[in-house]
Amino acid sequence: MKAFVVVCLSSLLAFSAFAHDGHDDGGDATTTSPHKGDHTGEFCTDASQTICAHLHFLADVNTSTEGSFVAHIETPDNQPINNFKIDMWMQMGSHGHGSAPFEVADNGQNHYTITNAWFVMPGTWTVRIDFDFNGVHQHIEIPVTAAQ
């Protein structure tokens, strides 16, 4: 009987390991994706709390339709940035998954409209923003959760 219980528990444990999709859901299965009109909080560079960014979503975030959002970089006195680059990354255990290249429109005043943003898998994606400000390279990461 003891062997039967051990086999059942081992099988259950093995099955549960394969049942998880391997993506980070932030530990909360009820996490929802941003909706059209939502904003993220402010995320700042490691070097300065006066150089920050946030996202404003132009479409619902999900795994089946194109995402679009505006990235707004805030600098002291709204000074302009240079060399803006953006991508998305999802870490999945020991490897990661990137996104297809975005289409980026510079709207001026450090606002950039991002289209062709595909959150192809559910979980937490990192929107990585790189730019130069006053000749110094800056990097900001903003987490975005994509539910199914």
Side-chain angles (χ1 to χ4, degrees):
M1 181 67 175
K2 192 186 292 186
F4 176 74
V5 171
V6 169
V7 169
C8 287
L9 289 175
S10 296
S11 297
L12 182 60
L13 181 61
F15 176 74
S16 68
F18 289 109
H20 188 272
D21 65 4
H23 302 131
D24 177 19
D25 63 6
D28 180 3
T30 62
T31 301
T32 60
S33 299
H35 296 287
K36 179 179 180 176
D38 288 350
H39 289 82
T40 64
E42 294 291 322
F43 292 83
C44 301
T45 66
D46 289 337
S48 172
Q49 292 298 304
T50 62
I51 304 171
C52 304
H54 71 269
L55 306 177
H56 169 79
F57 295 95
L58 303 175
D60 292 351
V61 172
N62 59 56
T63 60
S64 59
T65 60
E66 176 185 357
S68 60
F69 53 89
V70 173
H72 178 202
I73 313 302
E74 298 175 4
T75 60
D77 299 321
N78 294 316
Q79 296 173 34
I81 63 168
N82 297 304
N83 303 319
F84 177 84
K85 293 182 178 84
I86 187 168
D87 69 3
M88 289 190 320
W89 185 258
M90 174 185 269
Q91 191 63 37
M92 302 178 303
S94 63
H95 67 285
H97 190 287
S99 64
F102 297 139
E103 293 178 27
V104 178
D106 184 346
N107 302 330
Q109 298 181 333
N110 299 337
H111 286 80
Y112 298 85
T113 298
I114 312 303
T115 56
N116 199 33
W118 293 90
F119 297 84
V120 296
M121 290 181 272
T124 302
W125 288 82
T126 302
V127 175
R128 304 183 301 189
I129 301 171
D130 289 279
F131 57 93
D132 296 330
F133 178 68
N134 286 339
V136 178
H137 178 75
Q138 305 291 331
H139 179 79
I140 297 174
E141 295 187 351
I142 302 176
V144 176
T145 300
Q148 293 200 308

